[in-house]
Amino acid sequence: MNIYLPVSDGLRDAVQRAGLSALDRECHRELAREQVRTLADAGIGRLRLPVSSGGSGLDWVQTSVVLLELAAQDSNLPQVLRGHFAVEEDLLWRPAAEGPVQGWLTRLAAGELVGNAWTEPGKGGFHRSGTLVSETSAGPVVNGVKYYTTGAIFADWLDVTARDADDNELAVLVRRDQPGVQIEDDWDGFGQRTTGSGTARLSDAAVETSELRGLTDRFPYQTALYQHILLIVLAGIVEAAARDAAALLHERPRTYTHANTRTPRTDPQLLQAIGEVDAVAELARAQVLHTATYLDAAFATRTSGPEEAIAAANAAELSTGRAQVALHRPALEAVTRIFDVLGASGVSQTRGLDRHWRNARTVTSHNPWVYKARIAGDYRVNGTEPVRLWSVGEPDVSAVTQLV
């Protein structure tokens, strides 16, 4: 995409350079450690911080423009930063006078990153965290196992959901560089393979008392923000697929005797196919930027009453859910359509075009769209508010009332 990025030249350059080795990293499943660090140092993690706090001072529409370009360079990278942006948003939501806030703004301005550690394997996490916070003579510690810890392996801190002795659900910020934290790169999905989404094991991991926060006390549109980042990832995948297919078609010399022209790049049927993918890429981009306006509206209610804040959070949740429902089919069709223009050579492993489908299929499997479609329909028909903060895991069927 040839677009203006509302950031410094250094960050703009880091975003562009992140894509130079993306195909090679994908083919060899190499984590983008150097690229993530370069992006962090250049300011990718402080886009939303006020200028007065060392950030770029961007709203969500502007931030989405930057992340869309990054996703087109390497769709794994915005997903790596998903948990980081949620923690950053919560800091901006909280009153600046709160003691921990200023310290955290300083950390993020210095380039420190936060990774996600919410989901638990097996039975853990369904309504009730299996990860526990307990008090010791030396202070609080955290014990538990997390999976799908996107970005954690690159991060300086982990954003961990846990439960205390009084059964309160908490969000806990844990320093990664300590003996009690072990992170494994064992994510085995066929797509989004370099997001660092493996297992995190917490064994008496120390945490400051000031970093224990009630999960429901955080900004009310946090699940909408998480889904928004996934939409950015999906839009970037389709843009990259359109870019790669167009470039290969432009240079392709081979054609068929029954084709429309002697040169593939002038064949009207092949141009139509590329145009269809291009249109979906633009549709996805427009949808992301539209949804970003709901996040900005939700953020604007941070000094309003709770009713206004919840109404705006509901609107943001519905917006991201509708976008997920609307985009998943055309996006998956678009990243499949690119193979119609390149013949058998398009499936060469060295070109890695299959990564676009694998990544799109994987990212659309998060937070299943079928539930979002039902929720949108229930809101349209019955005015039922969407589910904003949800969890996933194996329920204890003996303790769950049968739904009818």
Side-chain angles (χ1 to χ4, degrees):
M1 290 181 286
N2 184 19
I3 58 175
Y4 169 71
L5 299 182
V7 293
S8 67
D9 290 341
L11 180 53
R12 190 178 302 116
D13 181 61
V15 169
Q16 296 298 320
R17 285 189 288 114
L20 296 180
S21 56
L23 175 57
D24 189 60
R25 291 196 305 274
E26 173 76 25
C27 291
H28 296 93
R29 201 187 178 282
E30 295 176 357
L31 298 179
R33 297 180 187 273
E34 178 183 347
Q35 289 75 17
V36 171
R37 189 68 262 162
T38 299
L39 286 162
D41 291 342
I44 195 68
R46 51 182 183 264
L47 295 177
R48 292 273 293 135
L49 293 188
V51 174
S52 60
S53 297
S56 298
L58 304 187
D59 62 21
W60 266 109
V61 172
Q62 295 166 321
T63 297
S64 297
V65 169
V66 179
L67 296 181
L68 281 165
E69 178 62 20
L70 181 60
Q73 297 297 329
D74 182 344
S75 67
N76 298 293
L77 294 177
Q79 195 161 335
V80 164
L81 299 165
R82 188 171 172 233
H84 177 90
F85 281 110
V87 170
E88 184 174 78
E89 194 76 3
D90 189 55
L91 290 167
L92 297 176
W93 179 265
R94 296 162 69 175
E98 284 190 18
V101 171
Q102 291 304 317
W104 270 103
L105 294 180
T106 300
R107 291 186 186 114
L108 299 192
E112 295 190 21
L113 295 177
V114 184
N116 186 57
W118 278 34
T119 304
E120 298 178 4
K123 295 183 181 301
F126 192 89
H127 284 316
R128 192 167 183 260
S129 293
T131 301
L132 301 176
V133 173
S134 55
E135 292 291 338
T136 71
S137 58
V141 296
V142 185
N143 286 276
V145 178
K146 297 289 187 177
Y147 195 52
Y148 301 129
T149 58
T150 304
I153 204 166
F154 305 99
D156 304 287
W157 296 82
L158 303 185
D159 180 26
V160 180
T161 51
R163 176 169 49 92
D164 67 13
D166 296 322
D167 268 358
N168 297 309
E169 291 292 328
L170 306 175
V172 182
L173 292 170
V174 179
R175 184 177 288 277
R176 183 198 159 199
D177 185 17
Q178 60 171 295
V181 177
Q182 178 185 353
I183 301 176
E184 303 171 28
D185 181 26
D186 57 350
W187 160 240
D188 67 349
F190 60 64
Q192 298 285 271
R193 297 188 298 176
T194 61
T195 55
S197 299
T199 301
R201 301 181 189 279
L202 306 168
S203 179
D204 287 337
V207 58
E208 297 292 332
T209 301
S210 61
E211 306 302 351
L212 304 178
R213 180 163 165 78
L215 185 59
T216 57
D217 293 335
R218 296 177 97 174
F219 68 106
Y221 51 96
Q222 52 189 320
T223 49
L225 189 152
Y226 281 123
Q227 184 58 48
H228 182 70
I229 300 296
L230 296 183
L231 293 170
I232 288 172
V233 170
L234 185 61
I237 291 169
V238 182
E239 173 62 30
R243 176 199 65 209
D244 291 351
L248 290 170
L249 180 61
H250 186 268
E251 300 300 325
R252 179 175 168 79
R254 289 167 57 83
T255 191
Y256 295 87
T257 56
H258 53 295
N260 298 290
T261 64
R262 295 295 180 90
T263 55
R265 69 174 179 269
T266 61
D267 190 309
Q269 285 185 282
L270 303 185
L271 293 177
Q272 176 186 342
I274 293 293
E276 292 171 2
V277 181
D278 176 74
V280 174
E282 183 62 20
L283 170 67
R285 174 182 170 80
Q287 182 66 71
V288 163
L289 295 180
H290 175 69
T291 300
T293 65
Y294 284 86
L295 295 181
D296 284 330
F299 180 71
T301 66
R302 69 193 182 283
T303 57
S304 304
E307 290 186 5
E308 289 182 66
I310 293 303
N314 285 342
E317 188 71 35
L318 287 165
S319 178
T320 56
R322 290 167 180 148
Q324 185 183 7
V325 174
L327 290 178
H328 83 280
R329 282 197 183 96
L332 289 172
E333 290 173 0
V335 295
T336 301
R337 187 75 162 115
I338 63 173
F339 295 100
D340 293 334
V341 305
L342 299 174
S345 61
V347 302
S348 168
Q349 291 189 27
T350 60
R351 288 176 171 168
L353 294 177
D354 63 305
R355 74 188 188 279
H356 299 310
W357 183 87
R358 288 188 291 101
N359 290 340
R361 180 62 273 179
T362 301
V363 79
T364 53
S365 297
H366 296 307
N367 192 3
W369 69 267
V370 290
Y371 296 139
K372 293 307 180 84
R374 187 208 76 226
I375 288 168
D378 198 7
Y379 176 79
R380 175 72 74 168
V381 175
N382 301 310
T384 305
E385 291 187 359
V387 178
R388 290 190 309 277
L389 189 58
W390 47 269
S391 58
V392 57
E394 294 182 19
D396 180 358
V397 294
S398 64
V400 176
T401 302
Q402 181 69 36
L403 298 178
V404 293

